[in-house]
Each structure stands twice: as structure tokens, then as C-alpha cells.
Amino acid sequence: MRATGTEAVPSKNNLLTTIAWKVNGVTEYALEGSVFIGGAVIQWLRDELRIIESAQECDRLTESVEDAGGLYLMPAFAGLGAPHWDPAARGACFGMTRGTNRAHFCRAALESIALQSYDLMQAMEKDSGITLKELRVDGGASRSRPLMPFQADLVQA
């Protein structure tokens, strides 16, 4: 979410305009978008692929490789959220080679969270006309040592 003030800003970039809060009779609005599969991609690596036992192991494996080895993961397991809004989209992996290993999958999964969030932030900047100066995060994925620097590098924050 991104607060936009007392005027409801209609999105031209496929975000939702929503009420952020109402205090002392003053309503403030926000732009909102959803990443359908964020931290759940790590659960998928653990529970379905069984290539890790915990989120902490995913962090350790991610930190053991310099990059994702050309692997890109699109975890559209429930379609794509904002700003794409494609409920028919399905997950995909691109760029696998014989050298692709579980560390690459972990890194690609964490990078997918950052990239999906970045798509939302770009749409919010376009709609609001306000350049991002700070990003506040919460939730389980925000405890990931490698994810937060990936996200900061993307947004240059």
C-alpha cells in the first residue's frame, strides 16, 4: 500500500484505490496491490519440492551462490496479482541448466518476491507521481537476510 492523501487517486497502472484510514473525520486514501505468492514460494520449496527444511536454510543456500545461475522463477501458483491481474497465469521456471541446483532455486525464489514487489512499487510511483524514498516491510519474508538487500538494490533505497 502507498498512502496518497485526502484525494482518491484512480490508478492508471492496474492498482486498487482504497481507503487507508479515517481519523477525526478525515479520510485518507492509498493505492494497493497484491503479490499473490510472496513468502509462500519458500513454503513451496519446503513442503512441495522438499529441497529445504526451513526458511533459514533457504537463506543459507541463497548466500552460498553468487547469483541464480540464470534461473528465473515465476511463482504464479494462484495467478498473478497486481499490476498484472492475470488469474489464468501459472508458475514457471526459466533458464535451468544441468548446473542448476537447490541453492539457485532458493535464490530465484527470493528474487521472485523482490521482483513482484518491485512491479507494484513501479506502478505506485507512476500513479502517485511520488518517488519512493523509503520502503517499510513486515511479515516472515522480511526476516530473510538475502531478500532485504535484493529488494533494496532494486528500489535503490
Side-chain angles (χ1 to χ4, degrees), residues 80-91:
L80 285 174
H84 309 289
W85 297 115
D86 184 352
R90 292 296 172 252

Side-chain angles (χ1 to χ4, degrees), residues 37-104:
I37 301 294
V41 71
I42 305 306
Q43 292 172 330
W44 174 73
L45 293 176
R46 183 193 66 208
D47 300 341
E48 303 306 324
L49 295 187
R50 298 177 189 254
I51 63 174
I52 57 170
E53 291 186 19
S54 67
Q56 294 78 17
E57 182 180 13
C58 184
D59 281 358
R60 284 192 303 278
L61 286 165
T62 296
E63 292 169 336
S64 75
V65 292
E66 187 174 315
D67 56 38
L71 181 67
Y72 292 91
L73 177 59
M74 183 178 71
F77 306 142
L80 285 174
H84 309 289
W85 297 115
D86 184 352
R90 292 296 172 252
C93 292
F94 303 94
M96 285 187 287
T97 68
R98 175 65 178 89
T100 301
N101 62 41
R102 63 192 193 122
H104 295 120

Side-chain angles (χ1 to χ4, degrees), residues 11-46:
S11 178
K12 295 178 182 155
N13 294 283
N14 297 320
L15 299 174
L16 304 174
T17 301
T18 188
I19 295 174
W21 55 78
K22 186 174 183 177
V23 177
N24 298 326
V26 177
T27 301
E28 301 234 358
Y29 297 89
L31 292 168
E32 180 179 8
S34 296
V35 171
F36 290 165
I37 301 294
V41 71
I42 305 306
Q43 292 172 330
W44 174 73
L45 293 176
R46 183 193 66 208

Side-chain angles (χ1 to χ4, degrees), residues 1 4 10 13-14 21 66 73 75 77-80 82-83 89 98 102 104-105 112 116 118 120 122 129 134 147 151:
M1 292 184 79
T4 58
N13 294 283
N14 297 320
W21 55 78
E66 187 174 315
L73 177 59
F77 306 142
L80 285 174
R98 175 65 178 89
R102 63 192 193 122
H104 295 120
F105 264 91
S112 78
Q116 290 178 90
Y118 183 66
L120 285 175
Q122 291 290 295
E134 179 180 9
L147 176 57
Q151 194 73 77

